[in-house]
Amino acid sequence: MADEANAARITGKVQGRDIVLDGRLSEDEIRDRVWWWTSRPDSGDQEDHGHEYDGSRRDVIATLGGYYEVPGDPDTPEGGELLEMLYAELNPDG
């Protein structure tokens, strides 16, 4: 119960959708939630498969360290750095 009370909670607004990351999530789970419109065929989430990325909006994630802009592609160096930082904040014990 103490772990739940102290669990990190990260919020954001990405492509018009509110994002909440809490608890211990794997990198794949984080990627699927933050970059939700890029659903992978094996993820089982076909709900937003037809969504096209709209680069005219600022997509941001709020963490304990501040606000970070979400790049449109998780496979860019910036996307990888954001993913690593989010993972580290959600899983402080490694």
Side-chain angles (χ1 to χ4, degrees):
M1 199 70 146
D3 281 342
E4 288 180 26
N6 295 324
R9 182 177 177 92
I10 298 172
T11 61
K13 185 87 161 182
V14 181
Q15 294 293 297
R17 178 182 281 182
D18 292 323
I19 303 292
V20 177
L21 306 172
D22 55 358
R24 297 186 174 276
L25 298 175
S26 70
E27 286 187 356
D28 286 337
E29 290 170 320
I30 296 168
R31 186 181 296 109
D32 288 344
R33 289 189 190 180
V34 173
W35 288 277
W36 57 268
W37 69 93
T38 62
S39 63
R40 293 168 184 33
D42 61 338
S43 71
D45 181 20
Q46 299 300 321
E47 176 184 336
D48 297 295
H49 185 66
H51 179 86
E52 291 185 31
Y53 176 72
D54 177 4
S56 67
R57 302 177 187 179
R58 272 193 81 179
D59 299 318
V60 276
I61 295 283
T63 71
L64 293 174
Y67 290 91
Y68 297 90
E69 191 161 352
V70 177
D73 185 350
D75 296 324
T76 63
E78 296 83 9
E81 289 173 14
L82 179 62
L83 180 63
E84 288 176 14
M85 193 252 328
L86 294 172
Y87 179 80
E89 190 165 319
L90 291 169
N91 299 283
D93 298 331

